[in-house]
Amino acid sequence: MAQTTFKAMVVTEDSPDRFSRRIAEKSIHDLPPGDLLIKVLYSSLNYKDALSATGNRGVTKSYPHTPGIDAAGVVIEGGGDDFKIGDPVLVTGYDLGMNTSGGFGQLIRVPVGWAVRKPDPLTLRESMIYGTAGFTAGLSVAKIVEHGILPSHGDILVTGASGGVGSLAVSVLSRIGYSVVASTGKTGEKEFLTQCGAKAIIHRDEINDKSKRPLLKSRFAGVVDTVGGDFLATALKSIALHGAATCCGNVASPELHTTVFPFILRGVTLYGIDSANSPMEYRRKIWKKLAADWKPDHLDRLANEISPAELDRHIDLILQGKLRGRTIVRIQNP
Ligand SMILES: NC(=O)c1ccc[n+]([C@@H]2O[C@H](COP(=O)([O-])OP(=O)(O)OC[C@H]3O[C@@H](n4cnc5c(N)ncnc54)[C@H](OP(=O)(O)O)[C@@H]3O)[C@@H](O)[C@H]2O)c1
């Protein structure tokens, strides 16, 4: 291994609670111990990365730090019996980019148990169009399917539909035959969401009930929620008998004010989604589906590709809820 330095985004705490970020040269000795050294070719931008890049201690405890919860690349050192040099792999979740130097750098070093062999026929680039957002969408869709909700049972609501998790949930659900109602706050994204496969598009105000009624008209067979707060509370009141909702995000609010009535009068189930700690066997199963049967034809069109230098601006944009679909980062050429 001749390479001793590499380029990475470094977030620094300049003074208490004041953070800055820049692309800097790091030493390979700055990387944590691990079994697997990976040359990162692609990463992607997730909401959590923006939190890490702006000093959110709930995500990253100590700085200086390199964010990036997603990385796709090739093994250049280590791997034991599981991987050989040159194998294409992806790492999403676990502690990558949180308190472990992440995918916004040209090299990562991680435990071998964090890496998934790239499933064929997906390319490394496509794996990052999915990234954590797509994997989370996949986990959410799997819960809807495993719950026994069939396309014939009715519409599935997806909230935060123009975002990363949302647009991929809309795309995968419609790919496998569900009728999807996409909720968005962006009036200009109708065409994009229609291209993703949404059957209907509603403004998010429509699912922000202020009436305090314990239940609303049954409207959805299932819900993939990515925003939390009153939107999830309203969705729960609108789910038909024995339906289910998944909950993965908190961009609207981490609070959930609900009553027990959706659960005890309609038998509604609320599933929590935690992509970071998903067990490896299940993780591989979901990636395999995303690589084949669940792969939307238009996957490439969901992605905006940027360079590491453009990350800074896009971190601000994702925090403002202004990004559409997925933002992937070409970290370096092979
Ligand atoms: N649990 C897990 O394992 C896991 C994994 C990945 C992500 N997440 C979480 O899932 C959420 C979505 O992640 P993402 O990567 O898809 O983020 P994203 O690309 O920023 O998308 C979030 C979307 O939510 C909507 N939104 C933004 N601000 C809002 C507000 N104040 N009220 C209501 N809706 C708002 C917007 O869509 P519209 O304009 O279309 O409504 C936005 O595009 C985040 O909270 C993230 O942390 C969790």
Side-chain angles (χ1 to χ4, degrees):
M1 168 70 216
Q3 187 176 1
T4 54
T5 61
F6 65 99
K7 286 201 171 67
M9 168 174 273
V10 178
V11 181
T12 332
E13 185 168 15
D14 300 327
S15 56
D17 286 331
R18 286 185 68 89
F19 295 84
S20 65
R21 46 188 189 252
R22 73 207 149 90
I23 305 295
E25 194 92 352
K26 281 177 74 166
S27 162
I28 196 166
H29 303 297
D30 296 337
L31 292 173
D35 325 301
L36 203 59
L37 188 63
I38 297 168
K39 177 178 177 178
V40 181
L41 302 181
Y42 286 99
S43 182
S44 85
L45 179 61
N46 295 275
Y47 193 77
K48 208 185 218 177
D49 298 318
L51 296 179
S52 170
T54 47
N56 186 304
R57 301 277 183 197
V59 179
T60 300
K61 289 188 182 63
S62 77
Y63 294 85
H65 172 65
T66 295
I69 63 172
D70 290 340
V74 289
V75 173
I76 53 173
E77 201 178 278
D81 295 335
D82 298 299
F83 300 105
K84 52 183 195 319
I85 308 301
D87 276 352
V89 289
L90 41 131
V91 181
T92 64
Y94 297 103
D95 190 49
L96 188 71
M98 293 181 68
N99 294 291
T100 299
S101 188
F104 295 170
Q106 292 176 328
L107 294 177
I108 56 168
R109 197 192 276 127
V110 296
V112 75
W114 290 8
V116 172
R117 185 178 302 280
K118 178 189 73 60
D120 284 332
L122 213 59
T123 63
L124 284 175
R125 186 177 184 278
E126 286 174 330
S127 77
M128 288 294 101
I129 300 179
Y130 279 126
T132 288
F135 179 59
T136 305
L139 290 172
S140 308
V141 172
K143 285 283 175 261
I144 297 290
V145 173
E146 288 163 11
H147 190 77
I149 300 171
L150 301 175
S152 59
H153 292 172
D155 292 343
I156 309 293
L157 171 71
V158 176
T159 64
S162 76
V165 182
S167 59
L168 279 157
V170 172
S171 302
V172 173
L173 282 163
S174 66
R175 167 82 180 83
I176 57 177
Y178 288 93
S179 161
V180 181
V181 175
S183 155
T184 182
K186 300 187 187 83
T187 44
E189 294 302 359
K190 201 168 175 197
E191 197 184 328
F192 170 72
L193 289 167
T194 305
Q195 279 173 4
C196 288
K199 182 206 81 172
I201 294 140
I202 60 173
H203 193 275
R204 66 164 88 115
D205 290 348
E206 259 194 62
I207 50 149
N208 190 3
D209 177 59
K210 305 281 188 203
S211 72
K212 293 201 161 69
R213 276 188 286 167
L215 289 172
L216 298 169
K217 187 170 165 254
S218 291
R219 196 170 166 193
F220 308 111
V223 173
V224 171
D225 175 63
T226 74
V227 302
D230 291 341
F231 302 99
L232 175 56
T234 305
L236 286 171
K237 297 189 221 181
S238 314
I239 297 179
L241 211 56
H242 299 157
T246 63
C247 158
C248 75
N250 60 353
V251 288
S253 169
E255 292 190 17
L256 178 60
H257 300 287
T258 181
T259 68
V260 296
F261 293 116
F263 309 107
I264 66 173
L265 295 181
R266 289 192 183 153
V268 165
T269 302
L270 177 58
Y271 289 103
I273 302 292
D274 167 28
S275 63
N277 301 297
S278 195
M280 186 46 88
E281 205 174 316
Y282 195 64
R283 192 178 279 265
R284 285 202 198 101
K285 184 178 153 186
I286 297 296
W287 274 112
K288 216 169 143 189
K289 285 194 173 294
L290 290 171
D293 309 355
W294 288 8
K295 187 177 163 194
D297 294 335
H298 58 268
L299 187 63
D300 201 56
R301 275 182 276 140
L302 292 179
N304 173 34
E305 184 176 313
I306 62 168
S307 68
E310 293 170 290
L311 257 174
D312 186 54
R313 187 168 65 85
H314 284 77
I315 286 168
D316 291 336
L317 289 173
I318 200 168
L319 285 173
Q320 293 158 19
K322 286 190 180 158
L323 288 187
R324 175 180 100 172
R326 295 280 295 142
T327 302
I328 58 168
V329 194
R330 182 188 277 269
I331 297 293
Q332 61 190 315
N333 293 322

